[in-house]
Amino acid sequence: MSGRILVVDDDRDIRDLVAIKLESAGHEVVTRADGAQALEAGMEGGWDVIVLDVMMPGMSGIDVLRALRDRGVETPVILLTARGQEKDIEAGFAAGADHYVTKPFSPRALLARVTAALG
């Protein structure tokens, strides 16, 4: 099953790696580089999954996720972050995340999470 996926990360290398892996699996991928762009794109709708970095300058991924959920956006969100402590994971799920992937990550494992979210 292919989907339309929004990938947001301020690190261009990670953003490109994720996009290439998802596109090679047949998904349509659109990328954004910061939280403000993520919120704008997320509100446009039409996404099957959003892959969202947590630590970005300006608006964090957690702030973006909360704003999307507050506005009724129910698109599955996979948080992608270097923050792997239990309190960070709990905060991610409390904000409305569907999955939580810590960096460094396996691109294959991330693809499996995207596939599960498309379910």
Side-chain angles (χ1 to χ4, degrees):
M1 168 186 284
S2 65
R4 187 165 184 258
I5 302 169
L6 174 63
V7 175
V8 184
D9 199 302
D10 63 319
D11 183 319
R12 181 182 203 150
D13 292 337
I14 292 175
R15 194 172 60 240
D16 291 348
L17 172 69
V18 171
I20 288 167
K21 185 67 175 177
L22 294 173
E23 287 169 345
S24 71
H27 300 291
E28 176 188 346
V29 178
V30 174
T31 62
R32 295 292 183 263
D34 64 40
Q37 293 174 359
L39 181 57
E40 182 180 335
M43 291 304 300
E44 290 173 6
W47 307 108
D48 296 305
V49 177
I50 298 172
V51 178
L52 182 61
D53 182 26
V54 171
M55 296 188 306
M56 294 184 287
M59 187 177 214
S60 76
I62 296 290
D63 292 337
V64 171
L65 178 55
R66 283 189 186 121
L68 290 172
R69 295 299 189 236
D70 287 348
R71 291 173 171 90
V73 175
E74 296 179 6
T75 303
V77 173
I78 300 170
L79 291 178
L80 185 62
T81 180
R83 293 183 168 197
Q85 293 185 336
E86 193 171 311
K87 66 179 181 161
D88 297 315
I89 295 168
E90 290 172 354
F93 283 115
D98 296 278
H99 295 276
Y100 196 98
V101 177
T102 56
K103 297 175 185 175
F105 62 96
S106 158
R108 288 178 59 182
L110 179 60
L111 179 58
R113 297 278 172 100
V114 168
T115 300
L118 289 169

